[in-house]
Amino acid sequence: MTRKIVVGITQGDTNGIGYEVIIKALSDARMLEMCTPVVYGSSKAFGLYRKDIPETENINTNIISSAKDAHPKRVNIVNCLPDNIQIDPGQCTNDGAKAAITALEKAVEEIKAGHLDAIVTAPFNKRSVNEETFNYAGHTEYLINEFEAKDGLMFLCSDQMRVGVATGHIALSKVSQALSPELIVSKLRIMNDSLLKDFNIVKPKLAVLGLNPHSGDKGLMGDEELNIIGPAIKMANEEGIMAFGPYPPDGFFSVNMQYKFDAVLAMYHDQGLIPFKSLAFDSGVNFTAGLPVVRTSPDHGTAFDLAGENKANPQSMISSIYLAIDVVRNRERYAQMHANPLKVKEFETQQKERPGKPFIA
């Protein structure tokens, strides 16, 4: 019998749409068939937001102190916040930021202890958490540090496309200075490795975008393509990574080139996220590749303007939970497969028949 994946879900900012999308996602009965959900936050906040969502009346909750006590057929809540927590839907407050950090830290503690298989993080406000001594640009950077990963990749995923970014949460004015052949090759390694292990894709094909308009037009509008990006692609190819480019970003997405590759590496945050969110906002998932643990997140923010109004779309949260489950299972399949050479051959044969689809053991 296939074991149920235990998924930890952090509440994010108490005053954002985190609880609403979590509650709506977990109201689908299929969720409890697929996984054992463990919400890190406050049962008080869960109950407050739940009252405004009539269709979730039948959710059965279980209050626990640790995921090791999770009930497999209920929505489990780890109360890691004080009972007197102030809840102000739609307001950016210090309490909301502190709660987001506390919930995240508790989930990380639990996955390190082996009580969780994956973490799904609801959004927090980056400015407010940094005011509360959270000295990281976002979840991605915090988790890379917590799990002592050499590097990590912000990897935006949907059913149709995957986009990673070479530089993440930094100012646009600092992107060119931050880029180097070594940085780009590191991101391509992580992307390629993730496609193999996390998505079970054989011989991934990676597209690399340029930085400048028209990819610099042979140095006329910038030389990063000639001196940094092009050499990085060559280095990656020499390692056996099938990377191609650099492609002009505007033309690349306008003619749907993204669908001809298994993933795309953009040079900076908005270059990758604007087209991704334009094409897959409702179902997109932010996945942190390169970590020893599985972490996903919806590709939207706290949306304070929608909080408490029962208007938030839960599809990205639903997709985040499903992707977390899939990646855990794909990693297990990959490990089992590479322990048996015959399985590798079976995998490669199946991929030729069903390119880009998960391996079925």
Side-chain angles (χ1 to χ4, degrees), residues 239-274:
E239 294 184 12
I241 297 171
M242 292 197 296
F244 304 87
Y247 295 100
D250 58 342
F252 186 86
F253 290 101
S254 66
V255 296
N256 295 326
M257 285 285 286
Q258 67 272 21
Y259 303 126
K260 297 181 180 180
F261 294 88
D262 295 300
V264 181
L265 182 67
M267 291 300 103
Y268 58 92
H269 185 278
D270 284 10
Q271 185 189 62
L273 269 66
I274 288 175

Side-chain angles (χ1 to χ4, degrees), residues 149-352:
K150 291 181 180 179
D151 195 4
L153 176 73
M154 185 188 298
F155 206 8
L156 282 295
C157 305
S158 73
D159 289 341
Q160 299 294 321
M161 61 189 292
R162 304 177 189 89
V163 178
V165 292
T167 59
H169 296 115
I170 65 171
L172 186 58
S173 60
K174 297 179 180 178
V175 169
S176 180
Q177 184 180 356
L179 290 176
S180 68
E182 293 75 21
L183 172 74
I184 294 171
V185 171
S186 176
K187 301 299 182 182
L188 289 172
R189 286 190 195 113
I190 295 170
M191 180 177 282
N192 188 71
D193 193 57
S194 179
L195 290 169
L196 288 167
K197 297 177 181 178
D198 301 332
F199 297 90
N200 289 172
I201 294 173
V202 171
K203 298 179 181 178
K205 292 195 302 181
L206 315 180
V208 182
L209 302 183
L211 175 67
N212 299 295
H214 307 292
S215 280
D217 207 358
K218 296 183 178 180
L220 183 64
M221 288 178 277
D223 59 8
E224 286 86 355
E225 288 77 12
L226 295 174
N227 298 333
I228 299 174
I229 304 171
I233 294 172
K234 183 179 179 181
M235 290 166 61
N237 292 161
E238 290 171 351
E239 294 184 12
I241 297 171
M242 292 197 296
F244 304 87
Y247 295 100
D250 58 342
F252 186 86
F253 290 101
S254 66
V255 296
N256 295 326
M257 285 285 286
Q258 67 272 21
Y259 303 126
K260 297 181 180 180
F261 294 88
D262 295 300
V264 181
L265 182 67
M267 291 300 103
Y268 58 92
H269 185 278
D270 284 10
Q271 185 189 62
L273 269 66
I274 288 175
F276 181 87
K277 289 188 175 185
S278 297
L279 296 168
F281 184 74
D282 288 338
S283 61
V285 178
N286 182 358
F287 169 56
T288 306
L291 297 179
V293 299
V294 176
R295 176 262 172 166
T296 64
S297 177
D299 70 346
H300 57 69
T302 51
F304 289 125
D305 58 320
L306 296 179
E309 297 186 11
N310 192 20
K311 294 179 180 179
N313 186 339
Q315 188 55 54
S316 186
M317 174 59 77
I318 292 170
S319 297
S320 298
I321 297 171
Y322 282 155
L323 181 61
I325 295 167
D326 287 344
V327 171
V328 170
R329 297 216 183 279
N330 286 343
R331 287 188 180 186
E332 290 175 347
R333 289 189 189 105
Y334 185 88
Q336 292 167 4
M337 180 180 65
H338 280 74
N340 183 345
L342 293 177
K343 285 291 185 182
V344 176
K345 287 292 184 183
E346 184 182 343
F347 174 68
E348 291 177 349
T349 300
Q350 191 178 109
Q351 281 295 299
K352 289 177 182 177

Side-chain angles (χ1 to χ4, degrees), residues 37-39 41-43 46 61-65 75-79:
V38 181
V39 179
S42 159
S43 57
F46 191 99
T61 58
N62 183 40
I63 312 303
I64 54 177
S65 58
V75 174
N76 300 276
I77 303 173
V78 173
N79 262 332

